[in-house]
Amino acid sequence: VPRKPLMDASQLASFALIAAGAFLAGGMNAIAGGGTFFSFPALLAAGVPPVTANASNTVALWPASLSSAWAYRREVMQHRKWALILIGVSFVGGICGGLLLLATSNAAFSKLIPWLLLVATALFAFSGQVQRIVGWAKGKLGGKLGAAQSSEPGSIGGAAFQLVVAIYGGFFGAGLGILTLAALAIQGFKDMQELNALKNVASAVNYTVAAATFIIAGA
């Protein structure tokens, strides 16, 4: 009796599509961000329900985020204090965002997807302009208040903004890396390697707690 193949042609095609999306997403996130633009649509195209696709995408990108953070560990130590703040903020935000996703129905999330992708794409495309505008506004406000400019980057306002970014990352994740880079650049971090290192640490923590939340919830 001939053996039944493990996968038929359509299943094999879906597997290849998801594998390609995961490979591209891991590489993109290690370089700068935007990996979800590849992996999430691949899961949807393979027929995975939206909420499950988003949760599965987070779990799939989790190992890449950890390896990227480990690769940049030396650069992270240049800003140890801010790295600890990012870890704490990303931990809280990742859990909150993950729980928010679990409380959202597939129907509601399906309606949100185009708008979430639109916002993420716009932020991805115009992140440089956003950084310059916010940096200019920050400088003007500081000048009017007579505040002394600190040589050490980072601020309480920056941590609060990063918390919002972390909640967004736990909920959806597309553009998380770009948003984090923008938030860090606004705070005064300039070296690209250090920016990328801190971004990878924040993403690793965010993906870890969000992935754990989805796995525990059976999503």
Side-chain angles (χ1 to χ4, degrees), residues 62 65-66 69 83 86-92 94-95 199-211:
W62 167 59
S65 68
L66 287 179
L86 280 178
I87 288 170
V89 167
S90 298
F91 183 88
V92 174
I95 292 176
K199 180 267 295 180
N200 285 336
V201 167
S203 297
V205 174
N206 193 285
Y207 279 130
T208 298
V209 295

PDB file of all heavy atoms in Angstrom, residues 62 65-66 69 83 86-92 94-95 199-211:
ATOM      1  N   TRP A  62      10.371  35.467  18.216  1.00  0.00           N
ATOM      2  CA  TRP A  62      11.003  35.538  19.539  1.00  0.00           C
ATOM      3  C   TRP A  62      12.467  35.061  19.529  1.00  0.00           C
ATOM      4  O   TRP A  62      13.353  35.770  20.034  1.00  0.00           O
ATOM      5  CB  TRP A  62      10.156  34.750  20.540  1.00  0.00           C
ATOM      6  CG  TRP A  62      10.805  34.467  21.846  1.00  0.00           C
ATOM      7  CD1 TRP A  62      11.292  35.380  22.737  1.00  0.00           C
ATOM      8  CD2 TRP A  62      11.040  33.179  22.422  1.00  0.00           C
ATOM      9  NE1 TRP A  62      11.808  34.736  23.844  1.00  0.00           N
ATOM     10  CE2 TRP A  62      11.661  33.390  23.670  1.00  0.00           C
ATOM     11  CE3 TRP A  62      10.769  31.874  22.021  1.00  0.00           C
ATOM     12  CZ2 TRP A  62      12.033  32.328  24.498  1.00  0.00           C
ATOM     13  CZ3 TRP A  62      11.120  30.825  22.850  1.00  0.00           C
ATOM     14  CH2 TRP A  62      11.753  31.058  24.070  1.00  0.00           C
ATOM     15  N   SER A  65      14.776  37.634  17.998  1.00  0.00           N
ATOM     16  CA  SER A  65      14.973  38.823  18.836  1.00  0.00           C
ATOM     17  C   SER A  65      16.002  38.559  19.931  1.00  0.00           C
ATOM     18  O   SER A  65      16.822  39.424  20.241  1.00  0.00           O
ATOM     19  CB  SER A  65      13.634  39.267  19.450  1.00  0.00           C
ATOM     20  OG  SER A  65      13.170  38.325  20.399  1.00  0.00           O
ATOM     21  N   LEU A  66      15.976  37.360  20.497  1.00  0.00           N
ATOM     22  CA  LEU A  66      16.943  37.008  21.540  1.00  0.00           C
ATOM     23  C   LEU A  66      18.359  36.939  20.976  1.00  0.00           C
ATOM     24  O   LEU A  66      19.305  37.455  21.579  1.00  0.00           O
ATOM     25  CB  LEU A  66      16.576  35.660  22.172  1.00  0.00           C
ATOM     26  CG  LEU A  66      15.372  35.635  23.110  1.00  0.00           C
ATOM     27  CD1 LEU A  66      15.147  34.220  23.630  1.00  0.00           C
ATOM     28  CD2 LEU A  66      15.557  36.592  24.278  1.00  0.00           C
ATOM     29  N   ALA A  69      19.674  40.424  20.248  1.00  0.00           N
ATOM     30  CA  ALA A  69      20.054  41.130  21.477  1.00  0.00           C
ATOM     31  C   ALA A  69      21.398  40.620  22.009  1.00  0.00           C
ATOM     32  O   ALA A  69      22.243  41.407  22.449  1.00  0.00           O
ATOM     33  CB  ALA A  69      18.960  40.946  22.534  1.00  0.00           C
ATOM     34  N   ALA A  83      19.317  50.751  29.334  1.00  0.00           N
ATOM     35  CA  ALA A  83      18.944  49.392  28.929  1.00  0.00           C
ATOM     36  C   ALA A  83      18.044  48.754  29.987  1.00  0.00           C
ATOM     37  O   ALA A  83      17.058  48.083  29.660  1.00  0.00           O
ATOM     38  CB  ALA A  83      20.193  48.543  28.707  1.00  0.00           C
ATOM     39  N   LEU A  86      14.626  50.273  29.675  1.00  0.00           N
ATOM     40  CA  LEU A  86      13.947  49.696  28.509  1.00  0.00           C
ATOM     41  C   LEU A  86      13.428  48.292  28.797  1.00  0.00           C
ATOM     42  O   LEU A  86      12.330  47.927  28.371  1.00  0.00           O
ATOM     43  CB  LEU A  86      14.909  49.646  27.313  1.00  0.00           C
ATOM     44  CG  LEU A  86      15.129  50.930  26.523  1.00  0.00           C
ATOM     45  CD1 LEU A  86      16.147  50.690  25.420  1.00  0.00           C
ATOM     46  CD2 LEU A  86      13.828  51.439  25.933  1.00  0.00           C
ATOM     47  N   ILE A  87      14.216  47.506  29.521  1.00  0.00           N
ATOM     48  CA  ILE A  87      13.801  46.143  29.863  1.00  0.00           C
ATOM     49  C   ILE A  87      12.529  46.170  30.710  1.00  0.00           C
ATOM     50  O   ILE A  87      11.573  45.446  30.457  1.00  0.00           O
ATOM     51  CB  ILE A  87      14.938  45.401  30.601  1.00  0.00           C
ATOM     52  CG1 ILE A  87      16.063  45.064  29.613  1.00  0.00           C
ATOM     53  CG2 ILE A  87      14.415  44.128  31.268  1.00  0.00           C
ATOM     54  CD1 ILE A  87      17.325  44.542  30.276  1.00  0.00           C
ATOM     55  N   GLY A  88      12.511  47.042  31.739  1.00  0.00           N
ATOM     56  CA  GLY A  88      11.338  47.141  32.605  1.00  0.00           C
ATOM     57  C   GLY A  88      10.101  47.623  31.870  1.00  0.00           C
ATOM     58  O   GLY A  88       9.009  47.047  31.997  1.00  0.00           O
ATOM     59  N   VAL A  89      10.277  48.656  31.052  1.00  0.00           N
ATOM     60  CA  VAL A  89       9.158  49.225  30.297  1.00  0.00           C
ATOM     61  C   VAL A  89       8.635  48.224  29.268  1.00  0.00           C
ATOM     62  O   VAL A  89       7.421  48.063  29.099  1.00  0.00           O
ATOM     63  CB  VAL A  89       9.611  50.536  29.604  1.00  0.00           C
ATOM     64  CG1 VAL A  89       8.611  50.976  28.568  1.00  0.00           C
ATOM     65  CG2 VAL A  89       9.800  51.639  30.644  1.00  0.00           C
ATOM     66  N   SER A  90       9.553  47.534  28.573  1.00  0.00           N
ATOM     67  CA  SER A  90       9.155  46.558  27.559  1.00  0.00           C
ATOM     68  C   SER A  90       8.462  45.351  28.189  1.00  0.00           C
ATOM     69  O   SER A  90       7.551  44.773  27.586  1.00  0.00           O
ATOM     70  CB  SER A  90      10.381  46.092  26.767  1.00  0.00           C
ATOM     71  OG  SER A  90      10.975  47.177  26.087  1.00  0.00           O
ATOM     72  N   PHE A  91       8.863  44.990  29.399  1.00  0.00           N
ATOM     73  CA  PHE A  91       8.236  43.870  30.110  1.00  0.00           C
ATOM     74  C   PHE A  91       6.772  44.186  30.408  1.00  0.00           C
ATOM     75  O   PHE A  91       5.871  43.399  30.095  1.00  0.00           O
ATOM     76  CB  PHE A  91       9.002  43.599  31.411  1.00  0.00           C
ATOM     77  CG  PHE A  91       8.485  42.426  32.192  1.00  0.00           C
ATOM     78  CD1 PHE A  91       8.943  41.151  31.951  1.00  0.00           C
ATOM     79  CD2 PHE A  91       7.523  42.616  33.186  1.00  0.00           C
ATOM     80  CE1 PHE A  91       8.462  40.066  32.672  1.00  0.00           C
ATOM     81  CE2 PHE A  91       7.034  41.546  33.908  1.00  0.00           C
ATOM     82  CZ  PHE A  91       7.506  40.258  33.650  1.00  0.00           C
ATOM     83  N   VAL A  92       6.544  45.364  30.979  1.00  0.00           N
ATOM     84  CA  VAL A  92       5.174  45.769  31.327  1.00  0.00           C
ATOM     85  C   VAL A  92       4.329  45.961  30.069  1.00  0.00           C
ATOM     86  O   VAL A  92       3.197  45.465  29.964  1.00  0.00           O
ATOM     87  CB  VAL A  92       5.191  47.055  32.170  1.00  0.00           C
ATOM     88  CG1 VAL A  92       3.768  47.562  32.404  1.00  0.00           C
ATOM     89  CG2 VAL A  92       5.888  46.811  33.496  1.00  0.00           C
ATOM     90  N   GLY A  94       4.770  44.756  27.017  1.00  0.00           N
ATOM     91  CA  GLY A  94       4.541  43.514  26.282  1.00  0.00           C
ATOM     92  C   GLY A  94       3.392  42.705  26.852  1.00  0.00           C
ATOM     93  O   GLY A  94       2.564  42.161  26.107  1.00  0.00           O
ATOM     94  N   ILE A  95       3.320  42.631  28.182  1.00  0.00           N
ATOM     95  CA  ILE A  95       2.224  41.908  28.829  1.00  0.00           C
ATOM     96  C   ILE A  95       0.888  42.611  28.565  1.00  0.00           C
ATOM     97  O   ILE A  95      -0.106  41.959  28.203  1.00  0.00           O
ATOM     98  CB  ILE A  95       2.470  41.793  30.350  1.00  0.00           C
ATOM     99  CG1 ILE A  95       3.661  40.871  30.621  1.00  0.00           C
ATOM    100  CG2 ILE A  95       1.224  41.261  31.059  1.00  0.00           C
ATOM    101  CD1 ILE A  95       4.038  40.771  32.082  1.00  0.00           C
ATOM    102  N   LYS A 199      17.491  48.784  20.741  1.00  0.00           N
ATOM    103  CA  LYS A 199      16.242  48.365  20.095  1.00  0.00           C
ATOM    104  C   LYS A 199      16.074  46.853  20.177  1.00  0.00           C
ATOM    105  O   LYS A 199      14.978  46.354  20.462  1.00  0.00           O
ATOM    106  CB  LYS A 199      16.245  48.828  18.638  1.00  0.00           C
ATOM    107  CG  LYS A 199      14.995  48.462  17.845  1.00  0.00           C
ATOM    108  CD  LYS A 199      15.136  47.143  17.088  1.00  0.00           C
ATOM    109  CE  LYS A 199      16.193  47.220  16.030  1.00  0.00           C
ATOM    110  NZ  LYS A 199      16.325  45.932  15.294  1.00  0.00           N
ATOM    111  N   ASN A 200      17.168  46.109  19.960  1.00  0.00           N
ATOM    112  CA  ASN A 200      17.094  44.651  20.002  1.00  0.00           C
ATOM    113  C   ASN A 200      16.789  44.140  21.408  1.00  0.00           C
ATOM    114  O   ASN A 200      16.047  43.164  21.578  1.00  0.00           O
ATOM    115  CB  ASN A 200      18.403  44.041  19.499  1.00  0.00           C
ATOM    116  CG  ASN A 200      18.551  44.128  17.991  1.00  0.00           C
ATOM    117  OD1 ASN A 200      17.562  44.226  17.273  1.00  0.00           O
ATOM    118  ND2 ASN A 200      19.771  44.109  17.498  1.00  0.00           N
ATOM    119  N   VAL A 201      17.339  44.810  22.425  1.00  0.00           N
ATOM    120  CA  VAL A 201      17.043  44.418  23.809  1.00  0.00           C
ATOM    121  C   VAL A 201      15.565  44.641  24.121  1.00  0.00           C
ATOM    122  O   VAL A 201      14.886  43.772  24.679  1.00  0.00           O
ATOM    123  CB  VAL A 201      17.929  45.212  24.798  1.00  0.00           C
ATOM    124  CG1 VAL A 201      17.417  45.055  26.224  1.00  0.00           C
ATOM    125  CG2 VAL A 201      19.361  44.730  24.713  1.00  0.00           C
ATOM    126  N   ALA A 202      15.056  45.834  23.752  1.00  0.00           N
ATOM    127  CA  ALA A 202      13.646  46.141  24.006  1.00  0.00           C
ATOM    128  C   ALA A 202      12.731  45.167  23.277  1.00  0.00           C
ATOM    129  O   ALA A 202      11.756  44.656  23.841  1.00  0.00           O
ATOM    130  CB  ALA A 202      13.342  47.575  23.560  1.00  0.00           C
ATOM    131  N   SER A 203      13.051  44.857  22.013  1.00  0.00           N
ATOM    132  CA  SER A 203      12.233  43.929  21.228  1.00  0.00           C
ATOM    133  C   SER A 203      12.278  42.523  21.803  1.00  0.00           C
ATOM    134  O   SER A 203      11.261  41.825  21.837  1.00  0.00           O
ATOM    135  CB  SER A 203      12.717  43.909  19.767  1.00  0.00           C
ATOM    136  OG  SER A 203      12.555  45.163  19.160  1.00  0.00           O
ATOM    137  N   ALA A 204      13.464  42.104  22.258  1.00  0.00           N
ATOM    138  CA  ALA A 204      13.613  40.760  22.816  1.00  0.00           C
ATOM    139  C   ALA A 204      12.734  40.577  24.054  1.00  0.00           C
ATOM    140  O   ALA A 204      12.044  39.557  24.202  1.00  0.00           O
ATOM    141  CB  ALA A 204      15.079  40.493  23.165  1.00  0.00           C
ATOM    142  N   VAL A 205      12.749  41.563  24.940  1.00  0.00           N
ATOM    143  CA  VAL A 205      11.926  41.490  26.149  1.00  0.00           C
ATOM    144  C   VAL A 205      10.448  41.531  25.781  1.00  0.00           C
ATOM    145  O   VAL A 205       9.633  40.755  26.303  1.00  0.00           O
ATOM    146  CB  VAL A 205      12.276  42.641  27.118  1.00  0.00           C
ATOM    147  CG1 VAL A 205      11.320  42.653  28.309  1.00  0.00           C
ATOM    148  CG2 VAL A 205      13.713  42.516  27.590  1.00  0.00           C
ATOM    149  N   ASN A 206      10.087  42.433  24.869  1.00  0.00           N
ATOM    150  CA  ASN A 206       8.696  42.574  24.445  1.00  0.00           C
ATOM    151  C   ASN A 206       8.176  41.276  23.844  1.00  0.00           C
ATOM    152  O   ASN A 206       7.105  40.789  24.209  1.00  0.00           O
ATOM    153  CB  ASN A 206       8.586  43.717  23.436  1.00  0.00           C
ATOM    154  CG  ASN A 206       7.151  44.134  23.170  1.00  0.00           C
ATOM    155  OD1 ASN A 206       6.412  43.450  22.486  1.00  0.00           O
ATOM    156  ND2 ASN A 206       6.767  45.278  23.711  1.00  0.00           N
ATOM    157  N   TYR A 207       8.936  40.694  22.916  1.00  0.00           N
ATOM    158  CA  TYR A 207       8.527  39.444  22.276  1.00  0.00           C
ATOM    159  C   TYR A 207       8.468  38.287  23.275  1.00  0.00           C
ATOM    160  O   TYR A 207       7.589  37.424  23.199  1.00  0.00           O
ATOM    161  CB  TYR A 207       9.502  39.081  21.148  1.00  0.00           C
ATOM    162  CG  TYR A 207       9.259  39.807  19.848  1.00  0.00           C
ATOM    163  CD1 TYR A 207      10.295  40.464  19.183  1.00  0.00           C
ATOM    164  CD2 TYR A 207       7.997  39.847  19.265  1.00  0.00           C
ATOM    165  CE1 TYR A 207      10.076  41.140  17.991  1.00  0.00           C
ATOM    166  CE2 TYR A 207       7.772  40.520  18.085  1.00  0.00           C
ATOM    167  CZ  TYR A 207       8.814  41.159  17.445  1.00  0.00           C
ATOM    168  OH  TYR A 207       8.590  41.818  16.267  1.00  0.00           O
ATOM    169  N   THR A 208       9.412  38.280  24.233  1.00  0.00           N
ATOM    170  CA  THR A 208       9.456  37.172  25.203  1.00  0.00           C
ATOM    171  C   THR A 208       8.206  37.144  26.072  1.00  0.00           C
ATOM    172  O   THR A 208       7.555  36.105  26.210  1.00  0.00           O
ATOM    173  CB  THR A 208      10.713  37.294  26.088  1.00  0.00           C
ATOM    174  OG1 THR A 208      11.880  37.193  25.268  1.00  0.00           O
ATOM    175  CG2 THR A 208      10.746  36.174  27.129  1.00  0.00           C
ATOM    176  N   VAL A 209       7.856  38.288  26.665  1.00  0.00           N
ATOM    177  CA  VAL A 209       6.702  38.310  27.572  1.00  0.00           C
ATOM    178  C   VAL A 209       5.389  38.166  26.796  1.00  0.00           C
ATOM    179  O   VAL A 209       4.450  37.511  27.261  1.00  0.00           O
ATOM    180  CB  VAL A 209       6.689  39.568  28.455  1.00  0.00           C
ATOM    181  CG1 VAL A 209       7.886  39.576  29.388  1.00  0.00           C
ATOM    182  CG2 VAL A 209       6.664  40.840  27.633  1.00  0.00           C
ATOM    183  N   ALA A 210       5.314  38.773  25.591  1.00  0.00           N
ATOM    184  CA  ALA A 210       4.115  38.637  24.782  1.00  0.00           C
ATOM    185  C   ALA A 210       3.941  37.193  24.322  1.00  0.00           C
ATOM    186  O   ALA A 210       2.835  36.631  24.372  1.00  0.00           O
ATOM    187  CB  ALA A 210       4.169  39.574  23.576  1.00  0.00           C
ATOM    188  N   ALA A 211       5.047  36.569  23.881  1.00  0.00           N
ATOM    189  CA  ALA A 211       4.993  35.167  23.441  1.00  0.00           C
ATOM    190  C   ALA A 211       4.572  34.255  24.595  1.00  0.00           C
ATOM    191  O   ALA A 211       3.746  33.346  24.416  1.00  0.00           O
ATOM    192  CB  ALA A 211       6.346  34.737  22.898  1.00  0.00           C
TER     193      ALA A 211
END
